[in-house]
Amino acid sequence: MGIRVQELRQHRSPKLRRMLVLGIESSCDETGVALVEARGTAVPVLLADALHSQIEMHQAYGGVVPELASRDHIRRVLPLSEKVLSEGSRPLADVDVVAYTRGPGLAGALLVGAGVACALGAALGKPVLGVHHLEGHLLSPFLSADPPAFPFVALLVSGGHTQLMRVDGVGSYELLGETIDDAAGEAFDKSAKLMGLGYPGGPALSRLAEQGDGAAFKLPRPLLHSGNLDFSFAGLKTAVLVQAGKLGAALEARKADLAASTQAAIVEVLVKKSLAALQATGLERLVVAGGVGANRLLRAELNAACDRRGVRVHYPELALCTDNGAMIAMAAAMRLQAGVQSATRSYAFDVKPRWPLAALSQA
Ligand code: KG4
Ligand code: ZN
């Protein structure tokens, strides 16, 4: 049991002092470290950001190997921390809070970031704060040049999650709908794997889709007319498998068409359900976050549909759609600014491999 010596809690006050947050992300196959500065109640600013992607290492296995991921995070996290401190021109001693991803994610991988963050905090005598990975994604558009304003509907589309949330403020998240089986990113990844496109499938499939016809094959749009805001993508990969089987030797020549048709099916469902969520809540702002938010067709279709309805859409910068340390430092800074959480000098940490985002609102 750690001893809580002192807590750092930032209240909404224009006199709030400057706060430097070091953020560490290690939930899956990217080690990300970033330095964010918060001044008063202004939107925190990103000073430096460094990332090491393990994609190349996992490619040989066709997916993430958790044990290898953890070991690589161990190798990368301190050199990346040194890099951001040097790029941000701040000595380690200036860091006020060390933030880390507490979950959800791979347990071993999370433990690396949590362990290093708490060790740094203990060595510096500075408080630490565990962040929800999806809250990081959700708040990542605040790092863009055009940050959103609350309230908004958020479409969270990552490798492991597909959710629509109503967001009324930092820490105030209401789940409107989510996938009942595979996530949108998983649908991209699994379909790409079936087509022999390698890992990670999303970017590879969407690149190939640019040369194909999205209307070439009729693939299912599950739960499109379900009347609720849930998603289901598991049937799509089966339909892709069946279609690939039917094509047989012709698959190679029609792969771009199959990729484009798969992408069109996923994107149509995401766009229609997002619009339904906007309609159900009466809100006029949409925030898209998570790796699939980098998809060009999704962005184009959402922009067009929202334009027609006078709805503003906000995205993170393309480089900050997939996992990174900036979103973790940012979420920590915003939680402290909003006064919804305290950073603590208790260094006994745990991680939460499974952790629903809506649980944050009940905390
Ligand atoms: O948010 P993220 O980096 O990691 C998780 O928290 O899961 O999302 C990764 C997911 C993967 O499924 C990847 O294939 C997908 O995002 N992705 C894309 C694109 N870029 C990444 N999917 C479709 N189109 C893209 N351009
Ligand atoms: Zn993520």
Side-chain angles (χ1 to χ4, degrees):
M1 276 255 289
I3 302 163
R4 182 171 291 199
V5 182
Q6 188 191 332
E7 288 192 337
L8 182 93
R9 191 178 186 117
Q10 305 289 344
H11 296 281
R12 285 179 210 275
S13 153
K15 285 197 233 108
L16 218 159
R17 67 180 179 89
R18 248 195 267 170
M19 173 176 60
L20 196 61
V21 181
L22 183 74
I24 299 175
E25 155 64 30
S26 71
S27 68
C28 189
D29 57 352
E30 254 107 25
T31 322
V33 184
L35 206 51
V36 158
E37 188 173 64
R39 284 184 193 217
T41 53
V43 177
V45 173
L46 179 63
L47 300 183
D49 180 27
L51 188 78
H52 175 79
S53 171
Q54 304 177 352
I55 283 176
E56 227 171 274
M57 182 179 76
H58 296 295
Q59 238 152 14
Y61 306 93
V64 179
V65 183
E67 179 62 23
L68 294 183
S70 312
R71 292 183 198 182
D72 201 56
H73 287 308
I74 293 171
R75 278 192 290 273
R76 309 290 175 182
V77 68
L78 286 176
L80 288 174
S81 303
E82 281 165 2
K83 191 166 175 235
V84 296
L85 289 164
S86 136
E87 278 173 14
S89 305
R90 302 298 160 93
L92 183 58
D94 279 9
V95 170
D96 296 302
V97 176
V98 187
Y100 61 93
T101 306
R102 190 178 175 205
L106 302 170
L110 289 166
L111 281 168
V112 175
V116 168
C118 291
L120 276 177
L124 295 168
K126 298 291 172 65
V128 295
L129 194 152
V131 171
H132 195 294
H133 180 83
L134 291 179
E135 185 176 37
H137 278 302
L138 196 101
L139 298 176
S140 61
F142 284 91
L143 288 160
S144 73
D146 177 29
F150 298 110
F152 53 77
V153 168
L155 172 67
L156 268 177
V157 271
S158 68
H161 295 84
T162 299
Q163 299 185 329
L164 280 161
M165 315 278 311
R166 180 193 167 103
V167 179
D168 284 296
V170 178
S172 179
Y173 311 125
E174 183 196 342
L175 183 67
L176 301 171
E178 64 181 332
T179 183
I180 58 168
D181 41 52
D182 288 354
E186 234 172 326
F188 270 106
D189 293 339
K190 288 179 176 172
S191 304
K193 201 169 183 178
L194 290 172
M195 289 182 234
L197 298 178
Y199 154 88
L205 189 145
S206 62
R207 257 194 312 276
L208 182 63
E210 283 179 22
Q211 298 147 38
D213 173 9
F217 300 105
K218 232 174 135 23
L219 296 172
R221 269 81 168 146
L223 299 192
L224 191 58
H225 304 292
S226 61
N228 63 20
L229 297 171
D230 287 339
F231 303 85
S232 165
F233 290 109
L236 185 61
K237 63 170 188 294
T238 314
V240 171
L241 184 65
V242 169
Q243 191 56 61
K246 273 193 208 156
L247 286 167
L251 174 63
E252 212 43 50
R254 303 292 310 278
K255 229 183 224 180
D257 284 344
L258 189 55
S261 301
T262 306
Q263 176 174 253
I266 298 170
V267 166
E268 185 183 340
V269 176
L270 293 177
V271 171
K272 295 233 163 107
K273 293 274 174 168
S274 299
L275 295 179
L278 286 160
Q279 188 158 17
T281 55
L283 297 177
E284 290 175 349
R285 234 183 308 269
L286 178 68
V287 160
V288 183
V292 182
N295 186 271
R296 284 165 72 164
L297 183 71
L298 177 66
R299 287 187 174 216
E301 299 277 316
L302 275 177
N303 288 345
C306 289
D307 246 17
R308 287 196 290 274
R309 286 163 181 78
V311 168
R312 290 283 310 278
V313 199
H314 297 264
Y315 306 92
E317 304 291 345
L318 264 183
L320 298 180
C321 274
T322 44
D323 294 349
N324 61 82
M327 67 184 199
I328 300 306
M330 185 68 171
M334 290 182 74
R335 286 185 77 78
L336 292 168
Q337 268 184 329
V340 295
Q341 194 178 347
S342 305
T344 169
R345 283 185 170 82
S346 164
Y347 303 112
F349 59 89
D350 64 353
V351 294
K352 289 173 168 267
R354 299 174 73 85
W355 189 11
L357 181 58
L360 287 187
S361 302
Q362 292 142 26

